[in-house]
Amino acid sequence: MERLDAGEVVIGDGGFVFALEKRGYVKAGPWTPEAAAEHPEAVRQLHREFLRAGSNVMQTFTFYASDDKLENRGNKLTFTGQQINEAACDLAREVANEGDALVAGGVSQTPSYLSCKSEDEVKKIFKKQLDVFIKKNVDFLIAEYFEHVEEAEWAVQVLKATGKPVAATLCIGPEGDMHGVTPGECAVRLVKAGADIVGVNCHFDPMTCVKTVSMMKAGVEKAGLKAHYMTQPLAYHTPDCSCQGFIDLPEFPFALEPRILTRWEMQQYAREAYKAGIHYIGGCCGFEPYHIRAVAEELATERGILPEASQKHGMWGSGLEMHTKPWVRARARRDYWEKLKPASGRPLCPSMSSPDGWGVTKGHAELMQQKEATTAEQLRPLFEKADAKH
């Protein structure tokens, strides 16, 4: 809060579940973070790479670490939620202490809310995670990845009771949350619930997220309230997404690679976010350490420092001056990379997709969650519905 109050830039970290899934430590589907206890060396190394790239915050790898999510749809784990949350806190603190970083404990949306459980039941789930964060004395708290502002409000209220600073990010775009609440109104509600920092994470690309947070900022200012702003977007281009974001794309989650932003596009994102008055700038799914390094390099003048990882990276490709091939040396300049329109190498692929758009959200029977594994009988109508749409 001192850094943000002084107008400084705080750089967040990147995406853990996608990065660790690709490395073989997270299972796509449940997306749960048992790797913190099961493979701590993998989580520690990713924290370390983000720190080296310029991150000021080590978020605990506790995404989807609520008990109801850890046990959802037949997910069988050998570690308890408490063990996973405690291990994640220890790893984040260990690496944060290696550099100039703070530790943020994070909670996210729950299957219980989607299944229409009561406010008290949902808040008890947040409180259980929060007890670990207090025990481990994290520096601040983040309620992230909420599709419905109501559940995010409940999370903020629980987190705020600790007296620690609270950030809250929704996974929404310019259309608002899944019940149609506008970004401006969402932000006002989060600030009134007690959030010190508000913004968005995941589901949409960087420029869409900057636009959405700008709408949130305008709403807060119109209401006569004050807050700081943050954005931790996807590292994927999503111009064809609807209000549900990238999980509606047919490429989700195993064929998104053609959509990845280049490091130069990340520099543009960092500049636009800063110009919009967003001073907590990080990333979510798809963000690798080199993306965070690009953010740190773009804002090096404002921050007064380059990250350690920039020792192995020439600004705007200047390291290519040492390349053996003359045509590659000719690319050692900013205007080349700024003007480049990268080809995909896929001549038969479209540039845009048609989102699935099932329109299912809290209150729909298809979104009711269960502890038991999904059965073949339950899958059959889903396959038929998907086939009919395509």
Side-chain angles (χ1 to χ4, degrees):
M1 294 306 298
E2 290 174 358
R3 293 177 181 184
L4 292 172
D5 286 342
E8 295 181 28
V9 175
V10 173
I11 295 182
D13 59 10
F16 271 65
V17 290
F18 268 48
L20 290 170
E21 191 276 333
K22 288 179 171 64
R23 289 160 169 80
Y25 299 104
V26 165
K27 188 173 186 176
W31 303 109
T32 48
E34 60 271 16
E38 194 173 49
H39 296 287
E41 73 286 351
V43 177
R44 182 186 295 111
Q45 178 63 21
L46 191 53
H47 275 307
R48 196 165 278 151
E49 290 178 21
F50 281 123
L51 180 72
R52 179 177 163 81
S55 296
N56 300 124
V57 177
M58 298 291 105
Q59 268 188 249
T60 58
F61 185 38
T62 51
F63 177 77
Y64 273 166
S66 60
D67 285 348
D68 63 337
K69 186 66 174 76
L70 293 170
E71 299 173 349
N72 196 46
R73 294 198 173 275
N75 197 27
K76 303 292 185 184
L77 302 179
T78 56
F79 297 93
T80 66
Q82 181 171 341
Q83 288 174 320
I84 293 169
N85 282 282
E86 288 188 358
C89 288
D90 290 341
L91 291 168
R93 178 62 70 190
E94 176 188 345
V95 177
N97 287 344
E98 296 174 5
D100 179 29
L102 298 173
V103 174
V107 301
S108 46
Q109 67 180 9
T110 64
S112 292
Y113 181 82
L114 293 178
S115 298
C116 301
K117 296 291 181 67
S118 70
E119 178 178 347
D120 285 345
E121 289 174 297
V122 173
K123 283 185 171 181
K124 283 179 183 176
I125 293 169
F126 295 138
K127 179 65 167 59
K128 194 168 183 179
Q129 274 190 276
L130 185 60
D131 288 343
V132 174
F133 298 148
I134 297 305
K135 175 183 176 182
K136 296 295 184 177
N137 195 30
V138 300
D139 298 307
F140 69 104
L141 300 160
I142 301 179
E144 69 166 0
Y145 195 78
F146 287 87
E147 295 173 308
H148 303 87
V149 68
E150 180 182 55
E151 187 183 15
E153 286 177 288
W154 296 351
V156 169
Q157 289 162 4
V158 172
L159 300 185
K160 193 65 177 178
T162 65
K164 291 181 179 289
V166 175
T169 55
L170 305 174
C171 47
I172 66 171
E175 294 180 48
D177 84 347
M178 292 302 295
H179 284 153
V181 182
T182 67
E185 178 60 24
C186 284
V188 168
R189 288 172 60 170
L190 292 174
V191 172
K192 287 182 177 179
D196 303 289
I197 309 166
V198 295
V200 297
N201 80 291
C202 208
H203 275 206
F204 295 91
D205 62 43
M207 292 310 178
T208 302
C209 287
V210 169
K211 178 181 178 180
T212 305
V213 178
S214 296
M215 295 169 71
M216 298 175 90
K217 185 172 183 285
V220 170
E221 292 173 351
K222 183 178 180 180
L225 301 172
K226 290 185 177 180
H228 292 292
Y229 302 93
M230 69 184 289
T231 176
Q232 300 207 106
L234 297 174
Y236 305 106
H237 289 286
T238 62
D240 40 356
C241 280
S242 56
C243 66
Q244 184 72 73
F246 81 141
I247 60 175
D248 253 8
L249 293 174
E251 299 95 340
F252 175 88
F254 298 129
L256 290 163
E257 285 81 0
R259 294 173 175 266
I260 293 175
L261 274 76
T262 68
R263 64 194 67 195
W264 318 117
E265 290 169 321
M266 288 301 182
Q267 292 203 206
Q268 182 186 8
Y269 150 60
R271 180 56 55 193
E272 292 303 313
Y274 184 78
K275 284 165 56 178
I278 303 166
H279 284 186
Y280 187 136
I281 305 170
C284 200
C285 297
F287 261 77
E288 293 282 349
Y290 75 94
H291 289 130
I292 291 297
R293 179 179 63 189
V295 171
E297 288 181 347
E298 176 62 29
L299 298 174
T301 300
E302 287 78 6
R303 299 176 72 231
I305 189 173
L306 277 170
E308 187 179 356
S310 292
Q311 295 172 9
K312 296 293 185 180
H313 186 243
M315 295 289 282
W316 289 102
S318 61
L320 298 180
E321 295 169 1
M322 296 182 279
H323 202 279
T324 57
K325 304 297 189 290
W327 60 90
V328 178
R329 292 198 297 272
R331 300 169 189 164
R333 51 197 167 98
R334 178 172 181 163
D335 64 330
Y336 175 86
W337 295 109
E338 280 191 320
K339 294 176 182 176
L340 183 69
K341 298 289 187 291
S344 71
R346 301 171 184 270
L348 302 181
C349 288
S351 62
M352 307 276 253
S353 294
S354 297
D356 281 335
W358 283 23
V360 174
T361 190
K362 183 199 176 189
H364 289 77
E366 290 174 334
L367 211 61
M368 298 298 285
Q369 302 301 306
Q370 63 191 46
K371 190 171 182 178
E372 301 76 26
T374 306
T375 66
E377 288 74 19
Q378 290 174 320
L379 286 172
R380 191 175 299 114
L382 300 182
F383 294 158
E384 293 172 353
K385 183 174 181 178
D387 289 344
K389 284 181 170 288
H390 294 288

